[in-house]
Amino acid sequence: MGDFDPSVPVNASAPRCRRIGVLGGTFDPVHIGHLRGALEVAESLALDELRLVPSARPPHRDTPQVSAKDRLAMVECAVAGVAPLVVDDRELQRDKPSYTIDTLESMRAEMADETQVFLLLGWDAFCGLPTWHRWEELLQHCHILVLQRPDADSEPPDALRNLLAARSVSDPLALKGPSGQIAFVWQTPLAVSATQIRQLLASGKSVRFLVPDAVLAYIEAHGLYRASN
Ligand code: ATP
């Protein structure tokens, strides 16, 4: 007993800390681009959970076309039984704008300190970060995974250059600790957007195969996004 075996990692018996991804969005409606992208990131980063977080009143964009209740119900239909994707509805519980910093603080209050949190942001959203409420505090609560398209412009705005120089690591699997670093994840997104889906529905066309069948059934049952809405 007590013999050192070099083939066994020293902390092999220590429980691995939890790894939680966070993808915010309007999800008006949720579609296969969101879901496929989220699943790929969750698998490649071995996340225990990837939370889709529908926003109530997004600070940076137009009011969603359908109610928070319907958007939430569609995301719930979409991820039912699709581990590790889950829905987190905390932003819909607040009667305030959906600031990401508030969401992260509220999530952190429920987690073990060592839990790793990964905030997923598209490149465009990342470039707009300096306009976000208390943006400089975000990395105290999470790592940031920038979802980069192979064809995208990769020049960050000046305000982010120093941050990237100080905090970015080249391998997303090398992100260490609960928060504080930035990594890029290269992804070829599916060419689908919620805007396109709303337009198709408003003109009476089908969105079959652009959204999960359960979401399509919800849209049809509730008559969402028709021209008369
Ligand atoms: P809209 O067309 O109404 O602007 P959207 O389709 O871009 O909506 P959002 O709810 O704004 O959907 O998306 C939330 C996040 O999901 C985005 O910031 C982006 O990172 C990601 N996302 C959106 N569309 C795709 C896609 N086709 N592939 C991968 N990720 C996507």
Side-chain angles (χ1 to χ4, degrees), residues 45 116 118 143 145 169 171-177 181-183:
L45 273 100
Q116 293 188 292
F118 302 88
H143 295 297
L145 289 177
V169 298
D171 178 3
L173 287 170
L175 292 167
K176 293 269 185 299
Q181 295 177 308
I182 303 170

Side-chain angles (χ1 to χ4, degrees), residues 23-27 31 33-34 61 122 147 189-190 192-195 198:
L23 175 65
T26 321
F27 303 121
H31 54 69
H34 301 129
R61 50 177 295 154
L147 307 180
L190 297 173
V192 47
S193 69
T195 304
R198 292 193 299 273

Side-chain angles (χ1 to χ4, degrees), residues 191-201 207 210:
V192 47
S193 69
T195 304
Q196 173 201 13
I197 289 170
R198 292 193 299 273
Q199 285 168 351
L200 286 168
L201 288 163
V207 296
L210 295 177

Side-chain angles (χ1 to χ4, degrees), residues 51 54 64 85 92 101 110 134 143 148 208 216:
R51 301 183 181 182
L85 304 188
L92 303 179
I101 187 72
E110 299 166 0
R134 294 169 55 202
H143 295 297
Q148 180 64 295
R208 188 136 195 232
L216 181 60

Side-chain angles (χ1 to χ4, degrees), residues 56-57 68 89-99 102:
R57 282 195 270 144
D89 69 353
R90 78 189 60 223
E91 293 194 359
L92 303 179
Q93 314 289 354
R94 288 206 298 255
D95 185 30
K96 288 199 291 184
S98 306
Y99 291 124
D102 299 329

